[in-house]
Each structure stands twice: as structure tokens, then as C-alpha cells.
């Protein structure tokens, strides 16, 4: 028996006037998801708890059975996993921007003109960095998409309880990083980080990549500014905790990072963008191939486009992306046998909010032995009458393991 | 006002093909339970939490308002209570088998030919046991049904964190008991237990009961092998916690043990087996008599047969036992006035799983002042639309005390 949690990122929504007070999912023509609802059991879910607005990261952590209040120490560690850095418990990780700083130390462009090329070359130089007095600390940079990068500090006596170097607005100096809890570890980490910021400028301001940018009238990517500090937590791998052989199929670094954090195999896909223009055929073929031909028996799958349309406040795009996923992906998943499919969103991203909300998400479980209820449509309103009633993200793995008969009895 | 929690052990199930995708409870003809649903309020319940597969013991603890993660320290203490031993907090209790061991210390039959008679005589001898160096520890044996027994160690400096002496398979020596947490208490308990195992052999191998068995070509019950160590926890009696005068009406030692653990009066019944062949008339008469004529105002009642049929994977037997309970027991309970009846299962025991699952159980409350919903059938599917929505075992006592007006206001 195999199982998958299929997350339609940000799919949940609120009633929209232009859609005659229907949600995009409700208004969309989704015969395949409706069939799953008809054959399955449905309900609503709070990824974390009622009224708590989840991030995609904290929602996925919760759905995978980790308590986000315990393990989510900041975005840095998950971004770092997401770009493929092998982080280890105790590492302090940061999200970074390549930015543009002038001679007087003023940040004139936080995103260095949204630099797209050459950051890997800059990182190669930065990774030779040694800070005087901190020779025992390993300093690891890794470029991400566009102007983004991550930084890891590895060594003894460090702390994730430090403030951001990001000045948040332009035309200010980088913020002075401070320890947040008065500990010696935080003070040490803050001091080191302040030195690293200026050291990056020193090391790459005259790098050929930047000289070329200046020649082309582009803002040079001449400083790296960290934020979102977090200590990489030590957690039990999902394969050990639930005795599964799991894989993560996702488009974005953030979700791949969650997968790596949970010890899942991360399946790489070509040509996926995390937007409404993504290659759904590739995603579908990857899922079907993995379910049919791999030794993996449990999957976390994330399709990101609906969330992007929600953030953009574009209900037409959200609706048509949902229809496209139904047509291209769900139609084929319906044909899979002996697979439990837990279909959900990680959170709502209402058109009106243009960001995540805490409205519960619609869920369904389709599979051989579920207690089929009388709900025959998959949308936020219809499933609220379903047989699962209202559950939480923290329940998902346990419910799936029970249905798949991987669960153990507590007691006699 | 009186109240009862009536647990149909293991009654919940999953849809079964042979029953046209109905559950046994759904397919069964149960006019009396359906009448209770019609007159009452219904819902689904997770005895512990969604997706957690409960044992009967942990489920009942939870339903009685105890946190099983806190008080469930192993099966030993509940078995010991179940056979009527007065256990006290701090006692270390074990489940035991009378087994057969040969001259070379090999366990040749873990159940001593499923010995049925004479174990009380063997226990009388064993209870004179004193182990050199452990003279301050009280060693108490008590026979249970068949080859089963319990052992209690009472004294200072002991621990329940020890492994089993049970070799699990035949033709091996008893397993060497080890401390599990490195503590001096666990090491001491393990050492004592290893000595007890061989001492039982020494004391009863030539007992007349065994000489007679050998003469009759039966495997002698010449050694006692403990497992399932647990320290008896110190909990508040249910009568004190909820200001009730409670009684437990149950068929099996395990549930009677839970009742004793909670400080309930345990009502003995004749002729009950815990199986589908039990004497339901006796159970019914005991319930009716207790409700009408005793000073008890709160009852935990357990009827075990549906669970047995579930473990056997026999859907016909499960269905017909449910119908029999409805006809014999529920018909009379319907006539009781001024009683709140909380009808539930402790867990599902699906025919397909042949063991406990975490599928939520159907619940109903029938009584003078419940908010009657529009559900008029008692089964897993119908009640999921009920007015109680989805509750947990830990809620049951509080809900009942509120309806019975025994509850106190928290705040002003």
C-alpha cells in the first residue's frame, strides 16, 4: 500500500463577488477532484490550529508530523536545505540577499538590480572567507535563484538568536546585528556576522562579475546581507518515525528544503517554475512514475501555482490553474490503484488578502478502505459537511499511517 | 441523575465489500440503538487523538479522563488490578506466563500446554519466595486465567524500566532481563527478576501439580516468566475527581483492572466470557439492577464480543453480535429514565485489519437534556454529521458531568 499527501499550495480561498460569491475552487470545473471527493472521505483542516496563519514551511512541517513551534527556528535552515546545502543540527543558517553598497557603506539596492547571473562565481570567492579570531568557524555560502543566497555558520558556541543585517529599506547602512537573548553565544554570532557583511564587500567588490556589471550600468552585487537566522534543529527522520520510504516531489526550494529536513528523497524535475506556467505534465509524469516504479511508498507532493495566483490577487488565473491541474494531473491520479491520496492545501491564499490566511483548507482522502461520506464535490464549502469533520495538520501522518496499516497500537 | 459510558469494545469498522460497502454496525439491524440516536445527539470520537491506534486499556483510560501518555506505564499494572490484586503506587507489576522449562533451562512451551488447573496451588508456594539479598522486597504472585499470572514487586529502589524475561519464541532460554535506562533502580530490578525466574523453577518443578501433569504426559507449569513491566502510577480516584459514586461492569480482567485503577467498585458477573458467546442477559440484568437499585450514580460498562469478532476477521459474527446486543441489552436500556447514556466504542477493530485501528468511533448521548440532532441511525457514517461533531476520549467525562450537572464552573 502506498500513500501520498498532495498539497495544492495556497488553494484555499474566500467567497469572491466576481465569482457570484464562490471561491475559485468552488467556481472551477474540476470533475476529477470531485470524483475523488465522491469516492472518498472529506473534511476541513487547520494546518497548524484554527486562526493561525501558516507559512508554507510551517504548514508543511505540521502536516509531516513535526511541531512547527518546536522545530521552526527561522526560515534560514529551510532555505539552506532547499538550495541543496547539507545542513547538520547545530548549524546556524541565514537567508541572504546579494545587494549593492556604495563607498560610504550605504545599501543603494537591496537586490543588486535583481542580479541573475554570476552569483555562483561570487560565492566561489566568498567560500574562501576566514574571519580573524573566528578561524574555527566554517563559513559556507550558497547561491540561490536571482539575488538570493544562503549562509551557514558551522562551529562551536554559536546561536541563532541574532537580529537581521538587512536594513529592510534602501539608502541605509546594513543594520548592526545584535544578540537577542543576552547569551555569550548570541553576542559572538552577532559580532562574527557584522564582520562577515563587510568582509563580503571587501572580497567581491572588485570581482570581474561586478566590474562587468558596473561597465554595463548595472548595480554591482558587491555585498551579502543575511537575515532570518535559525539554528538547524535535530529531528527524527520521517522514514524512521513512521517506517516509510518517502520521497518529496516539489517545485520550490522551500518545500524541497522541508523534504530534505525530514530526510525524504527529493526528486528533481525539469522545467517546473512554481508558477501558473509550470510544466504540469512533467509533475504528473514524475508522480505516476514514482508511484508505479519506485521503491518509495510515501510521497509529499507540492504544486505551487495556485498560491502564486493568490499572492497576485488574480482570481481568474487561480481558477484556471486549478482547472488545469484537475485536467492534467488529477485525471491520471484517479487511475492509480492501491494508493491513499490525501488531497489538501497547505493554507488558504485568498485573492482578497493577497497573502496566507488561516481559513481552513479543504481535504479529502481517497483510497481502498476510507469511510465514504456523501460529499461529492471538492471545495471549501462542500467538504465542511464531510465525514472527517475538522482535523489538524498534525493529524495527517497519523491518519495516513493508520489507513495504510503502518501504525502501531498504543496499549493492549 | 445517573450516567453511564457504555463501551461496545472494538465495534467501529471500515466499509466491507461483502456488506455492500457498509460497516457491520451499518449493515446490522439495530432498531434500539437507532432509536437512541434519534432521541439523542451523535458524533465521532478519537479515543486518544486522530490517527492514534488505541489499545483497549489506553482508550478506556482516556475516556475516563486520564492521560494515557502520563499514566500508562505498561500492561502489567492493569493486568494486576484486573486479577484483583490490590496494587499501590510504586509497585512494579508484570504480566507472566506459566511456562515449561527443561533441565537445561530451555523454554519448551511458553504456555505450559495452556495449563488450566492447579496454578493457584503453584502460586501459594511461590508467594513464600524470598530472594537472598532482596529480603526487603515483597514478591507477590497471583494466578489469572489459564497459563496467565501477574507478579508484583513491592519495595524501595525498584524501577519499571526493565526488559522482558519472555524469550518470545520457544526452544530458547528465558531472556536475560536488563535495565533500560541505566539507572541503579532498573539494574537492581533486572537482577532481582532474573533470580526470580530461576527461583520459580526451583520452587515448583517438583510440585505435586506438575508431577501429576508429567505423569499425564502434559507439559509441567514449572517456571514463571514475566514481561510488560510497569510501575503502578499514583492517580486521583474518579470518585474524588468528579464527585461521583462509580462502578465498573465489565467482562475482562483488563477492563476490570482499569476500573480498579480508577477506584471504581467492580461488579462481578457470572457466566460472562468476553466473547460473542457471552451471557448478555446477565450483563443486561446487572446494568438495570445497578442503575435502579444501587447507590452508584456513574457506570463504566464494557461489552467485549464485537472486538473478538473483529480480531477474528469474522464480519458475520460481528454483525450478529451487534444485533444481539441491540435486542437483548439496548432494548431494556431504552426504558431507563433519568439516565444519561454515552454509547461508544473504545476503538475500531476492522475486519480487514484484524486488530485495532484509529478510525474514529461512533458516539451518541441519550438523555433528558441533550441537543437532539437530525441523525436517526447509529453507525460510523451517519453520526459523522451529528451535533457533537468530532470529539476526543478526554472530553467524555467532562461532557457527561456537565449534562448530569455535576460539573463546576471554572471562573465567575
Amino acid at each position: 500500500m502506498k500513500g501520498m499527501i498532495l498539497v495544492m499550495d495556497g488553494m484555499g480561498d474566500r467567497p469572491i463577488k466576481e465569482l457570484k460569491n464562490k471561491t475559485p475552487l468552488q467556481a472551477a470545473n474540476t470533475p476529477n477532484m470531485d470524483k475523488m471527493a465522491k469516492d472518498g472521505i472529506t473534511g476541513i483542516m487547520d494546518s497548524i490550529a484554527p486562526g493561525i496563519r501558516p507559512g508554507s514551511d510551517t504548514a508543511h512541517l505540521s502536516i509531516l508530523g513535526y511541531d512547527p513551534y518546536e522545530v521552526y527556528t527561522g526560515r534560514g535552515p529551510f532555505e539552506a536545505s532547499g538550495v541543496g546545502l547539507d545542513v547538520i543540527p547545530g548549524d546556524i543558517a541565514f537567508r541572504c540577499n546579494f545587494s549593492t553598497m556604495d563607498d560610504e557603506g550605504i545599501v543603494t539596492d537591496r537586490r543588486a538590480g535583481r542580479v541573475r547571473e554570476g552569483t555562483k562565481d561570487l560565492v566561489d570567492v566568498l567560500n574562501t572567507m576566514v574571519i580573524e579570531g573566528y578561524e574555527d568557524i566554517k563559513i559556507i555560502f550558497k547561491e540561490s535563484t536571482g539575488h538570493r543566497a544562503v549562509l551557514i555558520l558551522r562551529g562551536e558556541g554559536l546561536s541563532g538568536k541574532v537580529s537581521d543585517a538587512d536594513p529592510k529599506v534602501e539608502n541605509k547602512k546594513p543594520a548592526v546585528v545584535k544578540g537577542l537573548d543576552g547569551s555569550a553565544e548570541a553576542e559572538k554570532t552577532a559580532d562574527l556576522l557584522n564582520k562577515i557583511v563587510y568582509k563580503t564587500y571587501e572580497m567581491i567588490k572588485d570581482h570581474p562579475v561586478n566590474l562587468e556589471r558596473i561597465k554595463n550600468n548595472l548595480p554591482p552585487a558587491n555585498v551579502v546581507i543575511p537575515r532570518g537566522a535559525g539554528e538547524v534543529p535535530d529531528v527524527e527522520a520521517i522514514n524512521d518515525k513512521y517506517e516509510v520510504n518517502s520521497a518529496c516531489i516539489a517545485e520550490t526550494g522551500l518545500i524541497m528544503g522541508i523534504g530534505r529536513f525530514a530526510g525524504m528523497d527529493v526528486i528533481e524535475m525539469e522545467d517546473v517554475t512554481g508558477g501558473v506556467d509550470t510544466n504540469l505534465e512533467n509533475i504528473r509524469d514524475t508522480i505516476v512514475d514514482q508511484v508505479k516504479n519506485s521503491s518509495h511508498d510515501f510521497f509529499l507532493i507540492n504544486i505551487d501555482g495556485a498560491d502564486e495566483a493568490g499572492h497576485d490577487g488574480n482570481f481568474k488565473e487561480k481558477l484556471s490553474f486549478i482547472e488545469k491541474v484537475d485536467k492534467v494531473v488529477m485525471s491520471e491520479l484517479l487511475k492509480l490503484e492501491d494508493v491513499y491520496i490525501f488531497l489538501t492545501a497547505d493554507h488558504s491564499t485568498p485573492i482578497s488578502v493577497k497573502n496566507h490566511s488561516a481559513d481552513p483548507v479543504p481535504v479529502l482522502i481517497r483510497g481502498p478502505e476510507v469511510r465514504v461520506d456523501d460529499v461529492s464535490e471538492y471545495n471549501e464549502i462542500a467538504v465542511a459537511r464531510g465525514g472527517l469533520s475538522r482535523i489538524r495538520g498534525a493529524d495527517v501522518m497519523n491518519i495516513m499511517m493508520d489507513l495504510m496499516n503502518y501504525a502501531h497500537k498504543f496499549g493492549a
Side-chain angles (χ1 to χ4, degrees), chain A residues 76-87:
Chain A
F78 298 98
E79 287 273 337
S81 296
V83 297
L85 268 181
D86 271 328
V87 294

Side-chain angles (χ1 to χ4, degrees), chain A residues 54-289:
Chain A
S56 283
D57 40 17
T58 53
H60 279 76
L61 285 171
S62 187
I63 289 169
L64 290 178
Y66 298 102
D67 180 353
Y69 292 105
E70 224 173 74
V71 304
Y72 189 75
T73 57
R75 190 154 167 180
F78 298 98
E79 287 273 337
S81 296
V83 297
L85 268 181
D86 271 328
V87 294
I88 57 177
D91 283 357
I92 313 297
F94 304 83
R95 307 168 71 195
C96 301
N97 276 3
F98 278 96
S99 305
T100 307
M101 192 157 83
D102 69 14
D103 296 346
E104 288 162 11
I106 304 291
V107 177
T108 54
D109 187 333
R110 287 175 60 245
R111 298 184 185 83
R114 293 188 181 269
V115 55
R116 290 189 152 217
E117 280 161 20
T119 56
K120 188 177 181 334
D121 295 337
L122 297 172
V123 159
D124 286 344
V125 172
L126 290 172
N127 277 335
T128 65
M129 185 184 293
V130 177
I131 302 286
E132 207 188 311
Y134 295 96
E135 290 81 0
D136 56 328
I137 305 293
K138 207 164 173 191
I139 299 167
I140 309 164
F141 289 90
K142 171 84 179 171
E143 74 286 357
S144 178
T145 51
H147 57 280
R148 300 178 195 88
V150 299
L151 163 64
I152 283 177
L153 303 180
R154 183 174 293 165
E156 295 296 312
L158 299 174
S159 164
K161 300 282 183 200
V162 294
S163 64
D164 295 344
D166 186 357
K168 303 284 195 294
V169 291
E170 261 127 27
N171 299 317
K172 286 179 72 172
K173 290 191 176 187
V176 177
V177 179
K178 289 177 183 157
L180 295 176
D181 63 0
S183 68
E185 289 81 3
E187 295 303 322
K188 172 180 168 181
T189 309
D191 179 59
L192 170 57
L193 211 60
N194 285 319
K195 288 176 172 149
I196 287 175
V197 171
Y198 290 95
K199 187 78 176 180
T200 64
Y201 180 71
E202 199 181 290
M203 290 176 81
I204 61 175
K205 69 182 163 65
D206 298 324
H207 189 282
V209 166
N210 282 325
L211 297 180
E212 181 74 14
R213 287 182 69 80
I214 292 166
K215 208 175 85 184
N216 294 327
N217 270 325
L218 293 169
N222 60 11
V223 67
V224 180
I225 299 190
R227 67 184 190 281
E231 185 177 332
V232 176
D234 192 7
V235 301
E236 193 180 1
I238 200 166
N239 288 6
D240 296 333
K241 195 169 169 193
Y242 299 101
E243 298 166 44
V244 291
N245 179 13
S246 65
C248 172
I249 301 173
E251 301 180 85
T252 63
L254 191 67
I255 305 301
M256 288 192 255
I258 301 279
R260 283 199 188 89
F261 169 83
M264 307 177 105
D265 291 335
V266 175
I267 312 297
E268 303 279 343
M269 290 185 286
E270 296 284 309
D271 204 20
V272 293
T273 65
V276 295
D277 62 345
T278 195
N279 190 325
L280 287 170
E281 287 78 7
N282 273 7
I283 296 176
R284 172 199 64 203
D285 293 346
T286 305
I287 298 172
V288 172
D289 176 57

Side-chain angles (χ1 to χ4, degrees), chain A residues 4 20 45 69 168 186 280 303 350 364 407:
Chain A
M4 67 172 75
K20 296 181 183 167
M45 180 173 87
Y69 292 105
K168 303 284 195 294
L280 287 170
I303 300 178
L364 70 78

